[in-house]
Amino acid sequence: MKLHHKLLSGVVMLSLAGVAFTACTDDIKFGSSFIEKAPGGTVTLDTVFNSAEYTRQFLVGLYVQQYYGLPYKNSTASPWSQSYWNTKLDALTDCYHQHFSGSNAYTMYYSNALTSNDRAIIAYNDDKVWETVHHCWLLIENIDRVPGLSDSEKKNMIAQAKCIMASRYFDLYSVYGGLPIVEHTYTGTEGDLSTRRATAEATANFMVKLLDEAIPDLLWAYNGTTIETDATNNTGRWTSAGAMALKAKILLFNASPLYNANQPYYDGSTDAERDSVVWHGDFKQERWQRALQACQDFMNANDANGNWYELNKATAATPDAYRQAYRMGYIYQGSREIIHSTRVAGATSNKASYQWNNFVGPTTTETGPGPFRHSYGPTQEYVDMFCWADGTPFDWEGDMTAGNINGEKGKLFFEYVKGRGGAVQRKASRDPRLYENAIVNGQSERLNWTSGVSEGNNYELWVGGYHEKYQVADADGKIVEQDTERFPSGYGTIKYYLGREYQGKYTQWVYLSYDEMLLMYAECLAQCDQLNEALKYVDEVRARVGMKGLKTSITKSKAAVKPNMDNKQDVIEEILRERACELGMSNNRYYDMIRYKHGEWMTKRLHGLLTYRLIQIGKNWEHNIRPYIGDDKNAGVAEPSRFEHSLFELQNRSRVLWDYSPDDLEVRKWFLFPLPLTEINKGYGLVQNPGW
Amino acid sequence: MLTSEDYNYNNKCMNKLKFIKGKAIPFAAILSAMLFVPSAGMLSAHASVQSTQQQESVSGTVIDNTGEAVIGASVVVVGAQQTTGTVTDYDGHFTLNVKPGTQLKITFVGYKEQIVKAANGMKVTLEEEATMLQAVEVVAYGVQKKVTVTGALSSVKAEDLTRTPVSSVNNVLAGQLSGVTTVQTSGEPGADAAQIFVRGQGTWGDSSPLIQVDGVEREMWDIDPNEIESVTVLKDASATAVFGVRGANGVVLITTKRGAEGKAHISATASFSALTPTKMVEMASSYDYAMFHNAMHDNDGTAHEFSQTVIDMFKNNTDPIRFPSMNWSDYIMKDVTLQTQHNVNISGGNKTVKYFISAGMFTQDGIFNEFDRPYDFGYGYSRFNYRSNLDIDVTKTTRLSFNISGKVDNSDKPHSGQSSDQLVKEVYWATPFSSPGFVDGKYIVNSNSTSDNYTTVEGDNAKTIPVLPFTGGTPMAYCMSQPGAFQYNNNKLQMDLVLDQNLDFITKGLSVKLKGSYNSSFATATEITNDASTYTAVFHRGVNESGNIYEEILYRKAGDDTTPTYRNYQNGKSRNWYTEGSLNYSRSFGLHTISALALYNQSKEYYIKGDYSDIARTYVGFVSRVTYDWNNRYMAEFNFGYNGSENFAPGKRFGSFPAGSLGWVVSDEPFFKSVKKYISFLKLRASWGLVGNDKIGGSRFLFMSDPYNVNQTALWERAQYSSGSDSGVAYAYLFGVENGTATKGAYESAKNNPDVTWEKAFKQDYGFDMNFFDDRLRTTFDYYMEHRTDILAIDYRIPTFIGFTPPYSNFGVVDSHGWEVSVNWQDKIGKDFRYSVKLNLSYNFNEIIEDRQAPQQNDYMYTAGHRIGSRLQYLFWKLYYPGAEADYEKEFGSPFPTQLVSKLYPGDPVYVDLDGNGYIDPNDQSRDFGYTDDPQYIAGLNLALSYKNLSVSAQFTGAWNVSRVLGDVFQRPFHNRNTENNGGLLQYHLDNTWTPENPDPNAEYPRATWTNAIQNYAASTLWEKDAKYLRLKTLQIAYDFHFPFMKVLGLNQLQLSISGYNLFTLTPYKFGDPEARASSTPSYPLQRTYTASLKLGF
């Protein structure tokens, strides 16, 4: 009885405990079966490549990993090139000077402090290049077994993957030289993974081979009428035009003096030079011929395809219309000037995480608050590259003497004509592309997206102006430097930023474009001594913005020293200048600098513009450091029309290399970036670039 | 049954007062009513000697106070010529041929000796002796007699934890327990719990110990310390092997109080504390800032930014609005905040029901000024804890225990999204002239715009009006940039039900125990947002009607003050349960005692944070233990854990973790008798065993096939990076022309390894316990060694071109060893003066043996061969001076190396060319120098003395062989988030920087510079600062009153005490608290606390 009682109470308690503590669980399990199974429905390699839909998605995933040339992310994770703590290649050229002191432009590059322990702008290890290559091979190796895909679709998908792989290889090749060639996926358990860097030429050939294999399987353009071939749904995919243009760009790079020369760019003592991974070991004119051929092939193919790719032409011969034509040529996703674009975001908005726009200029007002993490101030040197509106070269000294800059007839950016009642009319006086590559004093805040007409307030970039309120003064109070992060050089970034008219518009970065193609063609022709033919294509690019031909314009110039358009070197330098004006913010200025070993672009001191608004007091014109927007404008005072300009040297963020000779090895090592030391230390055969 | 929903009330009424009145008190009352035992009267617990008629032979039984037979007790006749006596048998019976009435002495180890008159059928109840021999220790899944414990463990009792009120018991553990390291890095209310390590770090993975409260894995930081009976730390393999894959980092066992048979005892404590932040680092004034800034430009040969007119403005303080000199930490931090802790607990019971019921309230004000906002956001914290522990003897052999406990807490934070650490950092980043703060209720910001500081008036261009060169930052963002608050509310409910069934009817000494626990929590939050206006100071000069020039400050308003809006949302939940079933056997056969345990447990946790949140985390374990001792003299123990973790592939989930230990009480040996006068006790211990750790890092389910993600719809820009990994990266793409429909993407998200397994730690421990002078001096010493293998690591030697991060594998090896000693002296002088001194000291050494780091140029750069957390840094030699080259060559025998910059100036640091290649580059950075963030030595000193009713106790803790690295603004003048030239400046920089005027070769800071920054601010031993400290952690002075009226009230204790926490610290470290991190992440200041407490006992 007693025993029974004890047992009973035990059982009762047990069941109570059981009910209390298992009520919330589905069933009672013990031991190994209690441990949950691994998550069900897990997606693996087999899942993806057993489904046409997932395989297509996997291809989309490769597109995501393409290079995007505008940093916009607040992240230091891979891909490093997209972080605004990094910087843009353009900031290392003579065209732009980065003023955001938190960026690596300042801490690593201008201070000449980069080492092989740091990540370069396009990071060898941390830009997802090798991940992309691995993923491309995953697709290529596994696509055969995917059910529900036609052979032609498979071929087309492989071709797209190969283009992406070639483009990612090019992203590294253009700043590092020869690379290890990856021709299949790895497991990581291979054991010996010894792989040397391929020579620069072999690396170029590897990319070209991939593209050559891809070209026959791709469409020339997505201009069809079906949902698989139309522009609305497919623009942005690789085309045979893209593949051919990239091939031309690779071969152009391959033929350029950096690699294709009788002398290596460094001192010839390094392993990298001996291994021909950072130059070819000799100069061969055939390399230029080969690049020229690739350009011609592109042009012929475009011709055969009804010249689908073309320059976006102006609808009227006005400065605004030229600007609009140039702008829509690169910014509008449907532009037929774009051969290949990459995308990372949707439409811009002030809440988006696409912070390229938000951090170039604030979206609600033009002055603040920042942070202006993309304060790539266009330099005076860059602005001076832009001709007068008719095409006549600009020349600070000559034009200053001629009274074109300061004084009553000063028309540095705009000609001001006093109309009835004191109203002022403005007419842009320079190459229309200037206003699309640098915000200059007096320029309207907006160019209407649809109508292409200037509107809104003017940018006031004079000392004390509405947009340029901050300056650096010396101990005596004399202003020596502009200091806003937004307009640090007296100019502001506008390419890919535009103005508030860009709000709500779809974003992209142009990877390859038709205007670049024309200028590459011109360069190859010039390198192959066909100077007149070359100028034809340069002039085609200039004509789009209403400028006269190069030869004619130079003849008109009153400059003391003028380039000779019958001289091969002079023509090439003019093409490079034209590329800078046409292809702002595209990395091309950086590529040109290293391709042509232009150390002097790194060592020359750069300048900004100091502008004063002048008011007439009695007979004198005096500085007026008040803004116009606000008080004066509200009071009905006429728009400021007279300014005084002077130059200042960028000091706040000066570059250490400015004190060096262009031939100094410390400068020349910069023609290629350092490979990461950690990677070299792995000892599988990677050799360091010279000087690092 | 109550559910978490019952506690879920509207956040808007989460006013503290309302909360207590409206919810907590009724709840506590109901709870008490449910569980309270009506009659708490005392029942006689002692059976006494029962005499019967006189006989020649007497037989009787010896039992203990639980009614159990005492086996092997000796029964001898007192005063007999020869020793006449016997021992009790298995049932506690004895028979002795003596006359009834004879004096018998009954003794047994661990019990008080008794002299009784012999009587037939007598029943003798031995009382347990209150000595160490009888004391028990909490061990894994049970308790053990202290004398027979052979593993390494240390424990601390409640009274040592509650001397001064702290929110978290974590914070007073260091120095109390040998072998325990704590690092308290933040003083943020409700988030100030110290990190705990047991015997240092044995792995670079997760090295935090397993924490159990009443035998179930639970958090300890939010328990009311008044509820705690004891804290025990299990350190060696013998003590922790039964936890299998969970025990390698040590185990902390917390036991809560339980009722004992007796009159209801009510204890109430109330304490009020004043908290002041331990020192913030002082910042420079505006004038000093400007002068130092200009001097730094002079060093670099660049133009001054502060003009003389601006400097004069600072100097003369003529315009405190546009040229203020703010002491921001004073401005935004309160000098003193209030903390209260109240607890009422009732315990007692009768023969069948015992109870402990406790309710506690803890509040701590936030330190940050709230500037009269109508809501709280200054990091305030309040917590209500409740607990009811109930033991019911349902039958004579069945005990049911039921615990219910929980907490409700509230905390608030600014809406800015900044952590408190970030907020503190903003104080250091700020300039003293960025804003004058609030002036006449307006928040003013300064402007350096020329147009806001009109310098000219027509016709009067001569005067130069000073304008700030830049304004820099303010730390006011927490209340001005995104005004508002987050107010959090957490409810936690925990229950245990334990059934203990004595199975003596099957075989004596056998019992079965079943246990079930359920824990849940539910969190809600309120987001409060509003807008606040700011005003920009605009300097204006104008000409009035009479033609005179006047100057005035105007304000440009931005934004509007709006009324706050509120949004409530659920902010998290958790639920887990644990069940356990065990068989216990414990019995003595003569002098042999055997015990055995077999236990099965399983647990399940839902809503896991991070990966696979929908899949519950589960554990199962099988535990067995056998202990043997002979006469408490020779001990042997064998422990075995067999358990599994879901982290590993099926078939590889379960592991066996054996451990064994031996103990020998040498002092019980006959040969020891001669020295027993001095050495009253000596026990030698040794243990060996294998323990695991499944908290290895990486994601869960690392063993599965390489995971792919498909149907990704988010664009790349939306990718949420988490520290370098791309978990959750978006892979959709927008093709087309102005087409907003993203094309879905797929990708390979990681590479996995089917062979991953847990970390294994082979541990050895050798120790002794030795007491001297009649146990007045007690010492314990342990030496341990650990060999940790299979630590999860990535093989970074594989080339990057393979295109993926190699999967985790169990490559890593860490060796560690150390020793612990504790010395405890306890004595009294005269009748009324008692005192005790307890000292403990721990040393821990560890070294990474293997971690597959990427290849380095030099051996000294590898983490392997160094302590976990070793620092890669240049070796600082001296500050440069002309002629340093020759001295360097003399000292090192190699030419002066080219430094990181091309030109050194006097006062720049010189680094040593470790690899001797003639130049300094990152390959000269070494891990050979200095210490790490966690100390090698930790010491604790506890002093207590009492004289009559007065008692004083003090706890000192100290640590050495520990360092901190200065970073951020502590290292570089004028650093802030974005720039190196517009940030904050420490007073310390002013006082301790090498300058041409004060070229001190031993200056703490090198010459200030921007152009040589990569040299002067490179990571080097120059920036590593000794952070050893000795701190008076707690001090209590208490007085017990004995007033006559107390008897009337039934009051048997009335104690008034004053106490302090973190009262003073001796340290060479100048940059705030040595425990806090003064590198790039300074934190919420640790608090110094002054408390007055009242304790009542009924």
Side-chain angles (χ1 to χ4, degrees), chain B residues 397-430:
Chain B
T397 59
T398 313
R399 169 173 285 199
L400 185 70
S401 300
F402 181 62
N403 307 335
I404 181 163
S405 66
K407 65 141 191 192
V408 180
D409 70 9
N410 293 309
S411 58
D412 54 70
K413 278 183 182 149
H415 187 255
S416 62
Q418 288 173 315
S419 66
S420 65
D421 294 356
Q422 185 62 38
L423 217 163
V424 170
K425 203 144 115 181
E426 300 276 357
V427 173
Y428 292 123
W429 282 347

Side-chain angles (χ1 to χ4, degrees), chain B residues 4-5 7-9 11 14 407-411 487-493 520-526 568-575 607 609:
Chain B
S4 54
E5 278 72 25
Y7 311 124
N8 179 20
Y9 33 74
N11 270 288
M14 265 315 294
K407 65 141 191 192
V408 180
D409 70 9
N410 293 309
S411 58
Q487 294 179 346
Y488 301 102
N489 168 244
N490 285 292
N491 297 280
K492 191 185 265 189
L493 175 68
S520 74
S521 77
F522 184 76
T524 59
T526 305
N568 289 310
Y569 60 96
Q570 186 189 325
N571 189 44
K573 55 182 175 178
S574 77
R575 180 160 70 88
Y607 318 126
K609 289 200 179 88

Side-chain angles (χ1 to χ4, degrees), chain B residues 99-365:
Chain B
K99 283 182 184 156
T102 313
Q103 298 264 322
L104 297 179
K105 184 167 86 174
I106 300 168
T107 54
F108 190 66
V109 179
Y111 291 85
K112 274 186 190 159
E113 168 184 302
Q114 274 199 34
I115 297 179
V116 294
K117 276 186 184 165
N120 207 16
M122 66 194 288
K123 211 171 193 179
V124 182
T125 305
L126 287 182
E127 268 186 72
E128 283 183 79
E129 197 175 28
T131 71
M132 196 196 73
L133 288 180
Q134 162 276 322
V136 293
E137 283 280 13
V138 175
V139 297
Y141 304 110
V143 293
Q144 214 169 339
K145 257 199 290 184
K146 190 165 180 173
V147 71
T148 64
V149 166
T150 48
L153 46 85
S154 49
S155 63
V156 59
K157 293 279 175 208
E159 58 267 26
D160 294 323
L161 301 174
T162 51
R163 286 209 190 95
T164 192
V166 287
S167 65
S168 174
V169 72
N170 298 40
N171 299 345
V172 286
L173 282 184
Q176 298 268 19
L177 294 164
S178 62
V180 174
T181 321
T182 66
V183 183
Q184 185 186 359
T185 54
S186 170
E188 183 184 325
D192 61 350
Q195 225 182 332
I196 297 179
F197 299 117
V198 175
R199 290 188 166 170
Q201 288 168 278
T203 171
W204 60 81
D206 190 341
S207 53
S208 53
L210 173 68
I211 292 172
Q212 289 199 337
V213 179
D214 288 335
V216 179
E217 184 176 6
R218 285 169 177 153
E219 286 168 322
M220 68 187 276
W221 67 271
D222 55 2
I223 294 181
D224 183 346
N226 290 300
E227 294 174 3
I228 295 175
E229 173 71 28
S230 69
V231 177
T232 303
V233 176
L234 310 180
K235 296 183 285 200
D236 71 341
S238 154
T240 59
V242 291
F243 295 100
V245 291
R246 317 289 314 280
N249 296 330
V251 180
V252 179
L253 298 177
I254 296 181
T255 312
T256 61
K257 289 180 176 156
R258 311 201 71 84
E261 195 171 322
K263 194 168 85 90
H265 180 80
I266 302 172
S267 168
T269 51
S271 65
F272 297 88
S273 312
L275 273 61
T276 59
T278 58
K279 193 133 188 65
M280 286 282 287
V281 180
E282 211 179 317
M283 304 298 288
S285 70
S286 289
Y287 174 75
D288 288 336
Y289 185 108
M291 296 301 283
F292 196 84
H293 204 275
N294 282 356
M296 192 151 155
H297 272 301
D298 287 341
N299 288 344
D300 289 345
T302 45
H304 287 182
E305 289 181 50
F306 288 90
S307 65
Q308 193 55 46
T309 49
V310 170
I311 289 173
D312 289 343
M313 294 299 281
F314 287 143
K315 194 173 177 183
N316 303 325
N317 195 23
T318 36
D319 183 350
I321 291 179
R322 287 166 60 240
F323 296 90
S325 183
M326 296 292 285
N327 184 335
W328 284 114
S329 59
D330 278 3
Y331 191 73
I332 70 165
M333 287 187 201
K334 299 173 191 165
D335 292 338
V336 59
T337 54
L338 182 71
Q339 171 188 299
T340 66
Q341 189 174 48
H342 308 295
N343 177 275
V344 181
N345 62 63
I346 308 170
S347 65
N350 59 21
K351 204 155 190 166
T352 51
V353 180
K354 288 150 193 104
Y355 57 89
F356 170 81
I357 294 168
S358 165
M361 183 79 198
F362 176 87
T363 67
Q364 190 178 337
D365 281 350

Side-chain angles (χ1 to χ4, degrees), chain A residues 85-86 91 104-105 126 142 174 177 192 200 229 239 244 254 297 330 341 377 433 445 462 513 544-545 583 598 610 635:
Chain A
W85 302 106
N86 190 354
N104 271 355
D126 293 312
N142 287 288
S174 53
D192 182 25
T229 60
T239 56
M244 290 179 81
N254 188 59
D297 288 348
Y330 81 86
S341 62
R433 295 173 299 187
E445 282 183 353
W462 62 78
S513 60
R544 186 261 291 270
V545 288
L583 306 169
H598 272 327
L610 211 54

Side-chain angles (χ1 to χ4, degrees), chain A residues 14 31 57 117 128 470 679 681, chain B residues 448 514 711 726 800 857 922:
Chain A
L14 243 181
Q57 287 188 7
N117 276 299
K128 289 215 170 279
Y470 306 97
E679 202 58 28
N681 282 342
Chain B
N448 60 324
L514 297 167
N711 295 324
D726 9 68
T800 304
Q857 210 84 337

